[in-house]
Amino acid sequence: MDAQKEALQRIITTLANKNDEIQNFIDTLNHRLRGVQANSGKVLSDLDDEFDSLYSFLDEMKEGMTSIIKQEQARKTQELQNQLTQCKKALESSEELLEFASQSVSIIEPEEFTKAARQIKDRVTMAPAFRLSLKPKVSDNMTHLMVDFSQERKIIQALKFLPVPKAPEIDPADCIVADNCVTITWRMTEEDSKIDHYVLEYRKTNYDGLPRVKDERCWESIDHIKETEYTLSGLRFDSKYMNFRVRACNKAVAGEYSDPVTLETKALMFSFDNTSSHLNLKVEESLIEWDPTGGKSQENKVKGKENKGSGTPSPKRTSVTSRPATVRGSRDRFTGESYTVLGDATIEGGQHYWEVKAQKDCKSYSVGITHKTIGKFDQLGKTNTSWCLYVNNWLQATFAAKHNNKAKPLETTVPDRIGIYCDFDGGQLAFYNADTKQLLYSFKTKFTQPVIPGFMVWCGGITLYTGLQVPSAVKTLQKSENGMSGSSSSLTNAVQ
């Protein structure tokens, strides 16, 4: 009976998963249908715009060429009109002179005839008709302004839709995920000299496999990539995976997207657990700040309620334990002088890395790890189940590694940002300058219980950075025994 139930349960699980896949595919098809409608309307609109632009360009060209023809017509007309006017005036003068000469032939008296002949001779010499060029200054030929669009007509007749670039291919094996960067490499299935650039899209997801249409995150785009490789840097790996796709573009059209690929971007993600924090700490998701009034105001309220109607004041211990504490794994808030807050993630294996940055005016803080069993009055580094770096800027500057209430002073400058590396399986806790990856100190031990990131702050605040991969430089140092500095037996004890 039990075996049959288990078999049936496996069938149910398989059917549920298949139904989920089919539903996701249905969503994809519906999304594609809507895309076809929207994109068809867009390309029709673009086609209208292109032809309207072509018509407008041709109209402008026609208007310009028409203007040139009219200017040439006006120039030649003016030249011929000027010549015509001159010739008419010369002809009138010549006809008048001819009539005068004809009349002079009939003069009988020699003296008058001689006088008239001399006048005619002088007038003929100065006559405009004899100084005119009887050749038109311009031709009536306008063939130099003729056009022949036969070649252009052939080009227009050969006009077709631009060839769409083929979809590129992304090979996950060629992609690199390291140091909170992702390098995506792709290739074209066919050589295409008309490709102008590429568009890369990515999005974060917690689903392994093909992207989902109803994914909670939208695609982010990077345009105008000239090479077939691109590196996304400075990412926060706050999801298990990232989807990537790419498409090629020429001057006018973009091709289809490549088949999407999913790359794992696993990193430790956690926040401050405000249910464990001391009441003098103001806790946000990734920021804790010292609040000198937080504990006192709450404590006074509780004391007032406890002492009401009683002549004997309650001891401080009673007032602390009677606070309404929010349970986190059945533990109380830190109290007393343990200004501590834990992370909300438990480390039970693997290699992990996170960073913290202290405010410039922070007087004292500690960062490290601890067992769950740390007491609410305990301070980081003062028990045999907690390890930390301790920074004190109050009165006398102190920078030390602490464990089991023993401190190892560090002869180096406190960095602006500290990186914490925990190799649970290898039994190692190391601290680094997050900017230079210089090793500050390393504990070597054996973790027999799960550990939790721990933080202590007094007069100031620190910011937490998670979702970070173990940096390559840290991995390299961890592989080299010489890169391990300061693993002191006086501070490091195997946990029993």
Side-chain angles (χ1 to χ4, degrees):
M1 184 71 176
D2 292 339
Q4 291 179 335
K5 285 185 177 181
E6 291 180 4
L8 182 58
Q9 186 60 47
R10 288 195 296 271
I11 292 173
I12 291 173
T13 302
T14 302
L15 287 174
N17 292 335
K18 179 56 67 176
N19 289 346
D20 186 51
E21 292 178 6
I22 294 174
Q23 183 60 53
N24 184 50
F25 186 61
I26 290 173
D27 293 339
T28 301
L29 292 177
N30 286 327
H31 181 74
R32 290 287 177 90
L33 283 171
R34 292 191 294 271
V36 167
Q37 298 298 325
N39 293 333
S40 297
K42 183 179 183 305
V43 296
L44 285 173
S45 176
D46 290 343
L47 183 65
D48 286 340
D49 291 342
E50 287 295 329
F51 270 93
D52 288 343
S53 175
L54 181 60
Y55 297 151
S56 176
F57 177 72
L58 291 174
D59 286 340
E60 289 178 4
M61 285 193 64
K62 179 181 178 181
E63 183 177 347
M65 298 176 81
T66 300
S67 176
I68 292 173
I69 293 174
K70 289 182 176 180
Q71 290 176 7
E72 183 71 354
Q73 177 189 4
R75 184 185 70 82
K76 287 191 172 185
T77 299
Q78 186 64 43
E79 289 285 354
L80 294 175
Q81 288 286 3
N82 291 340
Q83 275 192 290
L84 187 60
T85 300
Q86 291 175 0
C87 288
K88 285 182 178 179
K89 289 182 178 180
L91 181 60
E92 290 178 358
S93 175
S94 179
E95 287 179 345
E96 180 184 352
L97 181 58
L98 178 61
E99 183 178 355
F100 177 66
S102 297
Q103 293 175 355
S104 299
V105 171
S106 58
I107 297 176
I108 298 175
E109 293 183 8
E111 185 176 348
E112 290 185 7
F113 179 81
T114 301
K115 181 179 179 181
R118 189 179 296 111
Q119 289 180 354
I120 292 171
K121 180 180 178 182
D122 292 340
R123 290 180 62 182
V124 168
T125 302
M126 299 298 298
F130 292 97
R131 291 184 288 111
L132 283 177
S133 172
L134 299 182
K135 180 180 179 181
K137 290 185 177 181
V138 295
S139 167
D140 61 352
N141 191 344
M142 299 289 283
T143 56
H144 63 291
L145 297 178
M146 295 293 292
V147 295
D148 180 9
F149 287 144
S150 59
Q151 191 67 29
E152 288 76 7
R153 189 176 292 109
K154 289 180 180 179
I155 294 175
I156 293 177
Q157 289 173 345
L159 184 64
K160 297 178 181 179
F161 293 110
L162 268 176
V164 179
K166 299 291 184 181
E169 285 186 354
I170 302 176
D171 188 351
D174 296 333
C175 300
I176 301 173
V177 181
D179 298 318
N180 285 78
C181 300
V182 180
T183 299
I184 304 297
T185 302
W186 59 89
R187 60 176 175 270
M188 297 301 299
T189 56
E190 295 180 7
E191 186 176 350
D192 189 343
S193 60
K194 293 185 178 181
I195 291 177
D196 179 69
H197 65 277
Y198 298 91
V199 178
L200 174 67
E201 292 192 345
Y202 67 96
R203 66 179 177 185
K204 298 178 179 180
T205 179
N206 286 316
Y207 296 105
D208 183 11
L210 295 176
R212 301 189 172 205
V213 173
K214 294 184 178 180
D215 201 310
E216 67 275 10
R217 307 196 188 199
C218 297
W219 289 100
E220 296 187 59
S221 180
I222 301 174
D223 204 348
H224 301 294
I225 301 174
K226 296 295 185 179
E227 306 297 331
T228 56
E229 178 180 293
Y230 191 84
T231 298
L232 289 164
S233 59
L235 298 172
R236 187 179 185 221
F237 287 171
D238 51 359
S239 63
K240 294 181 180 179
Y241 306 95
M242 288 183 70
N243 302 137
F244 296 90
R245 64 185 186 182
V246 67
R247 61 177 174 176
C249 306
N250 55 34
K251 291 291 186 180
V253 65
E256 293 290 330
Y257 284 104
S258 64
D259 290 335
V261 299
T262 300
L263 301 180
E264 186 176 9
T265 55
K266 187 178 180 181
L268 180 64
M269 278 292 303
F270 68 92
S271 302
F272 295 119
D273 177 18
N274 60 5
T275 65
S276 70
S277 67
H278 193 286
L279 287 176
N280 280 103
L281 297 180
K282 179 183 177 182
V283 179
E284 298 180 3
E285 182 179 357
S286 59
L287 174 67
I288 52 174
E289 291 183 308
W290 168 258
D291 180 7
T293 65
K296 291 181 180 180
S297 60
Q298 294 295 327
E299 188 173 308
N300 290 336
K301 289 181 181 179
V302 174
K303 283 183 178 181
K305 291 181 180 179
E306 290 178 348
N307 295 335
K308 186 176 182 181
S310 172
T312 304
S314 301
K316 186 176 181 180
R317 175 75 176 176
T318 305
S319 68
V320 171
T321 56
S322 61
R323 293 175 189 161
T326 304
V327 178
R328 181 195 182 278
S330 300
R331 69 159 295 116
D332 294 327
R333 287 180 180 270
F334 289 95
T335 190
E337 294 185 356
S338 180
Y339 305 115
T340 303
V341 61
L342 300 178
D344 62 2
T346 301
I347 299 174
E348 301 180 356
Q351 301 177 27
H352 308 282
Y353 180 85
W354 61 96
E355 296 178 355
V356 295
K357 182 177 183 179
Q359 296 175 351
K360 291 184 178 180
D361 58 349
C362 189
K363 294 294 188 295
S364 178
Y365 65 95
S366 298
V367 294
I369 60 174
T370 178
H371 284 188
K372 289 182 178 180
T373 55
I374 187 171
K376 64 182 181 180
F377 291 98
D378 294 333
Q379 296 182 14
L380 290 177
K382 289 192 175 183
T383 69
N384 66 346
T385 58
S386 63
W387 302 258
C388 73
L389 278 194
Y390 170 67
V391 179
N392 180 31
N393 296 314
W394 177 249
L395 297 180
Q396 184 175 0
T398 303
F399 185 31
K402 297 179 69 175
H403 170 65
N404 201 20
N405 206 24
K406 296 179 181 180
K408 171 69 174 179
L410 303 181
E411 302 298 330
T412 185
T413 305
V414 180
D416 291 335
R417 192 155 159 162
I418 297 175
I420 301 95
Y421 166 77
C422 178
D423 181 359
F424 186 91
D425 301 319
Q428 189 167 0
L429 175 69
F431 299 89
Y432 290 86
N433 181 323
D435 295 323
T436 65
K437 300 303 181 290
Q438 173 194 0
L439 179 65
L440 302 174
Y441 195 83
S442 177
F443 291 100
K444 187 68 177 177
T445 186
K446 181 180 180 182
F447 300 117
T448 59
Q449 296 182 31
V451 294
I452 303 173
F455 312 85
M456 193 167 72
V457 174
W458 179 67
C459 290
I462 60 175
T463 302
L464 173 66
Y465 301 90
T466 65
L468 305 177
Q469 289 185 311
V470 178
S472 298
V474 172
K475 290 182 178 179
T476 301
L477 285 172
Q478 293 304 318
K479 290 179 181 180
S480 171
E481 292 183 0
N482 295 331
M484 308 273 295
S485 168
S487 56
S488 171
S489 59
S490 64
L491 293 181
T492 308
N493 297 326
V495 180
Q496 304 299 324

Short mmCIF file of all heavy atoms in Angstrom, two decimals, residues 75-91 131-140:
data_model
loop_
_atom_site.label_atom_id
_atom_site.label_comp_id
_atom_site.label_asym_id
_atom_site.label_seq_id
_atom_site.Cartn_x
_atom_site.Cartn_y
_atom_site.Cartn_z
N ARG A 75 17.30 82.67 -67.82
CA ARG A 75 18.57 83.24 -68.28
C ARG A 75 18.61 83.32 -69.80
O ARG A 75 18.97 84.37 -70.37
CB ARG A 75 19.73 82.39 -67.76
CG ARG A 75 21.11 82.96 -68.10
CD ARG A 75 22.21 82.03 -67.67
NE ARG A 75 22.25 80.82 -68.47
CZ ARG A 75 22.84 80.73 -69.68
NH1 ARG A 75 23.41 81.80 -70.22
NH2 ARG A 75 22.86 79.60 -70.35
N LYS A 76 18.28 82.22 -70.45
CA LYS A 76 18.33 82.22 -71.92
C LYS A 76 17.28 83.16 -72.50
O LYS A 76 17.54 83.86 -73.50
CB LYS A 76 18.10 80.80 -72.44
CG LYS A 76 19.28 79.88 -72.21
CD LYS A 76 19.13 78.58 -72.98
CE LYS A 76 20.39 77.75 -72.90
NZ LYS A 76 20.31 76.54 -73.74
N THR A 77 16.13 83.19 -71.91
CA THR A 77 15.08 84.10 -72.39
C THR A 77 15.53 85.54 -72.31
O THR A 77 15.31 86.34 -73.24
CB THR A 77 13.79 83.88 -71.58
OG1 THR A 77 13.34 82.54 -71.74
CG2 THR A 77 12.69 84.84 -72.02
N GLN A 78 16.18 85.88 -71.19
CA GLN A 78 16.64 87.26 -71.00
C GLN A 78 17.69 87.62 -72.03
O GLN A 78 17.67 88.73 -72.60
CB GLN A 78 17.21 87.41 -69.58
CG GLN A 78 17.59 88.84 -69.22
CD GLN A 78 16.40 89.77 -69.21
OE1 GLN A 78 15.34 89.43 -68.69
NE2 GLN A 78 16.53 90.95 -69.80
N GLU A 79 18.63 86.69 -72.26
CA GLU A 79 19.67 86.94 -73.26
C GLU A 79 19.07 87.16 -74.64
O GLU A 79 19.44 88.10 -75.37
CB GLU A 79 20.66 85.76 -73.29
CG GLU A 79 21.55 85.64 -72.08
CD GLU A 79 22.65 86.69 -72.06
OE1 GLU A 79 22.79 87.43 -73.05
OE2 GLU A 79 23.37 86.77 -71.05
N LEU A 80 18.17 86.27 -75.06
CA LEU A 80 17.56 86.40 -76.39
C LEU A 80 16.69 87.63 -76.51
O LEU A 80 16.64 88.29 -77.56
CB LEU A 80 16.75 85.13 -76.70
CG LEU A 80 17.57 83.85 -76.85
CD1 LEU A 80 16.66 82.65 -77.02
CD2 LEU A 80 18.53 83.96 -78.05
N GLN A 81 15.99 87.99 -75.44
CA GLN A 81 15.17 89.19 -75.44
C GLN A 81 16.04 90.44 -75.61
O GLN A 81 15.67 91.37 -76.34
CB GLN A 81 14.36 89.29 -74.13
CG GLN A 81 13.22 88.29 -74.00
CD GLN A 81 12.03 88.66 -74.90
OE1 GLN A 81 12.07 89.65 -75.66
NE2 GLN A 81 11.00 87.86 -74.83
N ASN A 82 17.18 90.44 -74.95
CA ASN A 82 18.10 91.58 -75.07
C ASN A 82 18.60 91.71 -76.51
O ASN A 82 18.65 92.81 -77.09
CB ASN A 82 19.28 91.44 -74.11
CG ASN A 82 18.87 91.60 -72.66
OD1 ASN A 82 17.82 92.18 -72.36
ND2 ASN A 82 19.70 91.11 -71.75
N GLN A 83 18.99 90.55 -77.08
CA GLN A 83 19.45 90.58 -78.47
C GLN A 83 18.33 91.02 -79.42
O GLN A 83 18.56 91.79 -80.37
CB GLN A 83 19.96 89.18 -78.89
CG GLN A 83 21.41 88.92 -78.51
CD GLN A 83 21.94 87.68 -79.19
OE1 GLN A 83 21.54 86.57 -78.86
NE2 GLN A 83 22.85 87.88 -80.14
N LEU A 84 17.15 90.53 -79.17
CA LEU A 84 16.01 90.87 -80.01
C LEU A 84 15.72 92.36 -79.96
O LEU A 84 15.46 93.01 -81.00
CB LEU A 84 14.78 90.07 -79.58
CG LEU A 84 13.53 90.17 -80.46
CD1 LEU A 84 13.84 89.68 -81.87
CD2 LEU A 84 12.39 89.36 -79.87
N THR A 85 15.80 92.95 -78.81
CA THR A 85 15.54 94.39 -78.64
C THR A 85 16.59 95.20 -79.40
O THR A 85 16.28 96.19 -80.10
CB THR A 85 15.55 94.76 -77.16
OG1 THR A 85 14.51 94.02 -76.48
CG2 THR A 85 15.32 96.26 -76.97
N GLN A 86 17.85 94.79 -79.26
CA GLN A 86 18.94 95.50 -79.94
C GLN A 86 18.77 95.42 -81.45
O GLN A 86 18.99 96.40 -82.18
CB GLN A 86 20.29 94.91 -79.52
CG GLN A 86 20.66 95.18 -78.08
CD GLN A 86 21.94 94.48 -77.69
OE1 GLN A 86 22.55 93.78 -78.51
NE2 GLN A 86 22.35 94.65 -76.44
N CYS A 87 18.41 94.23 -81.93
CA CYS A 87 18.25 94.06 -83.39
C CYS A 87 17.09 94.90 -83.93
O CYS A 87 17.18 95.47 -85.03
CB CYS A 87 18.02 92.59 -83.73
SG CYS A 87 19.51 91.57 -83.54
N LYS A 88 16.03 94.97 -83.22
CA LYS A 88 14.89 95.78 -83.67
C LYS A 88 15.26 97.25 -83.75
O LYS A 88 14.90 97.95 -84.71
CB LYS A 88 13.71 95.59 -82.72
CG LYS A 88 13.02 94.25 -82.88
CD LYS A 88 11.82 94.14 -81.93
CE LYS A 88 11.09 92.82 -82.14
NZ LYS A 88 9.94 92.70 -81.23
N LYS A 89 16.00 97.74 -82.76
CA LYS A 89 16.43 99.14 -82.79
C LYS A 89 17.39 99.39 -83.96
O LYS A 89 17.32 100.41 -84.64
CB LYS A 89 17.11 99.50 -81.46
CG LYS A 89 16.15 99.58 -80.30
CD LYS A 89 16.90 100.00 -79.03
CE LYS A 89 15.94 100.14 -77.86
NZ LYS A 89 16.64 100.55 -76.62
N ALA A 90 18.28 98.43 -84.19
CA ALA A 90 19.23 98.59 -85.30
C ALA A 90 18.51 98.56 -86.64
O ALA A 90 18.87 99.30 -87.58
CB ALA A 90 20.27 97.47 -85.22
N LEU A 91 17.50 97.70 -86.72
CA LEU A 91 16.74 97.58 -87.97
C LEU A 91 15.98 98.88 -88.24
O LEU A 91 15.93 99.37 -89.39
CB LEU A 91 15.79 96.40 -87.91
CG LEU A 91 14.94 96.13 -89.15
CD1 LEU A 91 15.85 95.87 -90.37
CD2 LEU A 91 14.00 94.98 -88.93
N ARG A 131 27.37 96.95 -86.32
CA ARG A 131 28.12 96.54 -85.12
C ARG A 131 27.45 95.41 -84.36
O ARG A 131 27.92 94.98 -83.32
CB ARG A 131 28.28 97.76 -84.20
CG ARG A 131 29.22 98.81 -84.79
CD ARG A 131 29.48 99.98 -83.86
NE ARG A 131 28.34 100.86 -83.74
CZ ARG A 131 27.61 101.01 -82.66
NH1 ARG A 131 27.89 100.32 -81.61
NH2 ARG A 131 26.60 101.86 -82.65
N LEU A 132 26.33 94.93 -84.90
CA LEU A 132 25.63 93.82 -84.24
C LEU A 132 26.24 92.47 -84.60
O LEU A 132 26.70 92.26 -85.71
CB LEU A 132 24.15 93.81 -84.67
CG LEU A 132 23.21 94.83 -84.03
CD1 LEU A 132 21.82 94.70 -84.65
CD2 LEU A 132 23.14 94.61 -82.52
N SER A 133 26.21 91.54 -83.58
CA SER A 133 26.57 90.14 -83.86
C SER A 133 25.27 89.43 -84.19
O SER A 133 24.34 89.35 -83.38
CB SER A 133 27.21 89.49 -82.61
OG SER A 133 27.37 88.11 -82.81
N LEU A 134 25.22 88.92 -85.38
CA LEU A 134 23.99 88.27 -85.84
C LEU A 134 23.98 86.77 -85.52
O LEU A 134 23.47 85.96 -86.28
CB LEU A 134 23.82 88.51 -87.35
CG LEU A 134 23.72 89.99 -87.74
CD1 LEU A 134 23.51 90.13 -89.25
CD2 LEU A 134 22.59 90.67 -86.98
N LYS A 135 24.57 86.45 -84.36
CA LYS A 135 24.57 85.06 -83.88
C LYS A 135 23.93 85.05 -82.48
O LYS A 135 24.34 85.83 -81.63
CB LYS A 135 26.00 84.52 -83.80
CG LYS A 135 26.07 83.09 -83.31
CD LYS A 135 27.52 82.63 -83.25
CE LYS A 135 27.59 81.20 -82.74
NZ LYS A 135 29.00 80.74 -82.66
N PRO A 136 22.94 84.19 -82.28
CA PRO A 136 22.30 84.14 -80.95
C PRO A 136 23.33 83.83 -79.86
O PRO A 136 24.21 82.98 -80.03
CB PRO A 136 21.27 83.01 -81.09
CG PRO A 136 21.01 82.90 -82.55
CD PRO A 136 22.30 83.26 -83.23
N LYS A 137 23.25 84.57 -78.76
CA LYS A 137 24.19 84.35 -77.67
C LYS A 137 23.95 83.03 -76.94
O LYS A 137 24.86 82.49 -76.33
CB LYS A 137 24.09 85.51 -76.65
CG LYS A 137 24.64 86.82 -77.20
CD LYS A 137 24.63 87.88 -76.11
CE LYS A 137 25.26 89.17 -76.61
NZ LYS A 137 25.28 90.22 -75.56
N VAL A 138 22.75 82.51 -76.96
CA VAL A 138 22.45 81.24 -76.28
C VAL A 138 21.71 80.34 -77.23
O VAL A 138 21.08 80.78 -78.21
CB VAL A 138 21.60 81.47 -75.01
CG1 VAL A 138 22.38 82.25 -73.97
CG2 VAL A 138 20.29 82.15 -75.36
N SER A 139 21.78 79.05 -76.91
CA SER A 139 21.08 78.05 -77.72
C SER A 139 19.71 77.79 -77.12
O SER A 139 19.47 78.00 -75.92
CB SER A 139 21.91 76.76 -77.75
OG SER A 139 21.15 75.69 -78.26
N ASP A 140 18.82 77.31 -77.95
CA ASP A 140 17.52 76.91 -77.43
C ASP A 140 17.51 75.46 -76.95
O ASP A 140 16.48 74.92 -76.55
CB ASP A 140 16.44 77.11 -78.50
CG ASP A 140 16.71 76.26 -79.75
OD1 ASP A 140 17.81 75.65 -79.82
OD2 ASP A 140 15.83 76.19 -80.61
#
